[in-house]
Amino acid sequence: GEADPAGAQLRGPGECGGAGGAGAAPGGARGGACPSAAAGLRAAGLPAPRAGRAAAAPGKPAAGLRSVGSRPGAVRLCGREAEGQPCAGIAGRFFGEPVVEACVENGASCIDISGEPQFLEGMYLKYNEKAAEKGVYVIGSCGFDSIPADMGVLYTRDKLKGTLTAVESFLTVKSGPEGSCVHDGTWKSAVYGLADQDNLRKLRKKIGYAPVPVVGAKLKRRGLVFYNQEFKEYSIPFMGSDVSVVKRSQRYLHTELQETPVQYGAYVNVGGLGSVIKLMFAGILFLLLVKFSFGRKLLVKYPEFFSAGRFTKEGPTQKQMDGTSFTMTFFGEGYSEGQDPQNGKPNIKICTEVKGPEPGYVATPIAMVQAAVSLLEDSACLPKGGGVYSPGAAFSKTKLIERLNKRGVEFSVISKPEV
């Protein structure tokens, strides 16, 4: 997710706020929506927004767009003004907790696209019980991090005729002649997230997660760099929040619904040997600098230099976004009907795919808005009690995948289950 200090709240029924990635110019410029954000919202099923409050249809709540440039502003928009209404947006470590706190206190469910594990799990520790008491849903990582991965694992499970026990996903991002880049808000999330690894471990120890049992053959972890025969290029572990989010969902589904937990590994395809060498040098430099305060300041101040142009303060251009798309391929294995997963090796496999437009500015608002629609329209299919949930835990029984398919984030079976 975009952890830009400008923050953003894009809301369903009621008022909307927007800055950073989904309602204003990349970088948090005020005063209206940028073309890329407007395009993303149109793709998500919303009209192109204008600053201020939009006229409401008779009998419908008004909707509008408003930038949030301060913590009090975030609290106000998602607090009293959101009372009894769902709230969706971009927050993360900068505005995240005040927004969650205000929503829970005022009985408003909250959807967020931040992909920072420490924020997501910190909100679970602090607000899960309070949200349950209020009967509201706080659902994080509802953007590109991590709806394609989390819902993709569930989709793969549902399409396998048997018991799915392990899945690996491989992300491929394709760009056009203009190339591609990512806004530096994501870069900042990586900088601060890696610097906070010790605190994340302490947080998880404090939560006291129940271990997720391994069912079937244990999924082997791959190396830091390996040649992928399926794609004929090199792959590395995906450094985003997908693995931790999927694990939270699987833990919930196993603990609360007694479903068989699925092991999960996430990887990204990076290209040929030249790309691997560049990544190794950049990664070593990044890991050295992120350990020190001075190094982190340099990384945050000069993202374009240290990322070889992959991350910029301006974000992608419209042409870059138009030419960019993603594909996430899932390779699942398990046991056919009648076979005991506790005995023997997996005897059935399946390949599925999630594909969509540019991840950060087009696919993310599609995912966020459709998650909010599911929250509103599939309320009977949500977990019985309120609380802080991951997408898979909240939406596993809803029509979210069906809605995403209609909006251009498409789930499909590539090869049918076969022994």
Side-chain angles (χ1 to χ4, degrees):
E2 302 289 351
D4 193 295
Q9 282 70 45
L10 171 67
R11 307 210 290 168
E15 293 187 42
C16 301
R30 313 297 197 272
C34 70
S36 61
L41 293 172
R42 281 195 294 269
L46 294 179
R50 293 179 296 178
R53 182 184 286 270
K60 296 282 187 179
L65 179 71
R66 190 177 297 178
S67 297
V68 177
S70 66
R71 283 173 178 259
V75 172
R76 184 175 67 254
L77 280 174
C78 290
R80 291 187 302 274
E81 296 181 20
E83 196 163 339
Q85 300 175 23
C87 170
I90 307 165
R93 69 171 63 241
F94 295 101
F95 288 129
E97 185 168 352
V99 170
V100 171
E101 184 179 18
C103 284
V104 171
E105 286 181 357
N106 290 276
S109 289
C110 176
I111 283 176
D112 191 282
I113 67 167
S114 169
E116 300 171 274
Q118 185 166 352
F119 167 72
L120 297 169
E121 297 176 46
M123 295 305 95
Y124 174 83
L125 177 63
K126 294 188 72 172
Y127 296 100
N128 184 54
E129 291 184 4
K130 293 178 182 178
E133 290 172 6
K134 288 278 189 174
V136 299
Y137 298 89
V138 177
I139 310 167
S141 54
C142 284
F144 180 71
D145 288 345
S146 296
I147 278 184
D150 209 8
M151 301 307 294
V153 170
L154 298 181
Y155 177 83
T156 306
R157 179 201 66 184
D158 293 343
K159 293 299 179 182
L160 185 79
K161 294 180 180 179
T163 303
L164 183 72
T165 57
V167 174
E168 289 181 319
S169 70
F170 293 86
L171 171 65
T172 302
V173 178
K174 293 183 179 179
S175 58
E178 297 286 327
S180 65
C181 70
V182 183
H183 190 265
D184 76 331
T186 301
W187 176 261
K188 291 174 185 175
S189 293
V191 171
Y192 296 128
L194 281 173
D196 251 358
Q197 283 296 305
D198 287 343
N199 289 329
L200 179 58
R201 281 189 284 269
K202 292 176 184 176
L203 173 65
R204 287 172 173 169
K205 190 174 181 180
K206 195 171 183 180
I207 292 173
Y209 286 127
V212 180
V214 174
V215 177
K218 188 172 182 179
L219 182 64
K220 295 180 180 179
R221 295 180 65 178
R222 302 200 186 220
L224 291 176
V225 180
F226 59 94
Y227 187 74
N228 192 318
Q229 291 291 344
E230 288 88 353
F231 297 94
K232 306 301 180 187
E233 60 181 306
Y234 286 91
S235 303
I236 63 173
F238 181 61
M239 301 302 290
S241 60
D242 288 355
V243 172
S244 63
V245 171
V246 169
K247 192 168 186 177
R248 285 176 59 212
S249 293
Q250 293 301 317
R251 179 183 289 109
Y252 171 84
L253 295 172
H254 172 69
T255 303
E256 300 298 326
L257 303 182
Q258 290 72 54
E259 295 181 1
T260 302
V262 179
Q263 303 168 71
Y264 177 64
Y267 304 93
V268 57
N269 298 325
V270 297
L273 190 59
S275 298
V276 171
I277 294 171
K278 289 178 185 177
L279 271 172
M280 286 179 64
F281 279 110
I284 291 170
L285 183 60
F286 184 92
L287 290 173
L288 286 173
L289 290 173
V290 81
K291 292 181 179 180
F292 308 100
S293 176
F294 177 71
R296 291 193 291 273
K297 288 178 182 177
L298 284 176
L299 289 169
V300 169
K301 190 172 183 179
Y302 304 107
E304 194 165 355
F305 173 78
F306 287 106
S307 68
R310 293 278 182 169
F311 295 86
T312 69
K313 292 184 180 293
E314 294 77 23
T317 65
Q318 187 65 53
K319 286 184 178 180
Q320 285 177 323
M321 285 185 290
D322 291 343
T324 302
S325 62
F326 80 89
T327 302
M328 191 174 284
T329 307
F330 297 81
F331 296 95
E333 64 179 24
Y335 296 77
S336 57
E337 293 174 337
Q339 294 293 316
D340 184 359
Q342 301 294 359
N343 295 319
K345 295 180 179 180
N347 68 337
I348 192 170
K349 60 183 180 180
I350 185 174
C351 178
T352 64
E353 182 180 86
V354 179
K355 63 180 181 179
E358 190 277 333
Y361 288 83
V362 186
T364 285
I366 291 172
M368 179 180 72
V369 171
Q370 297 312 312
V373 172
S374 291
L375 185 63
L376 283 168
E377 297 190 0
D378 300 338
S379 56
C381 303
L382 297 171
K384 290 182 180 179
V388 178
Y389 293 96
S390 57
F395 298 122
S396 66
K397 308 301 180 186
T398 70
K399 296 180 179 178
L400 176 57
I401 290 177
E402 182 181 324
R403 291 191 171 92
L404 291 170
N405 271 322
K406 292 178 180 178
R407 294 294 177 186
V409 178
E410 300 172 358
F411 294 68
S412 60
V413 176
I414 301 303
S415 66
K416 293 182 179 180
E418 59 183 37
V419 176

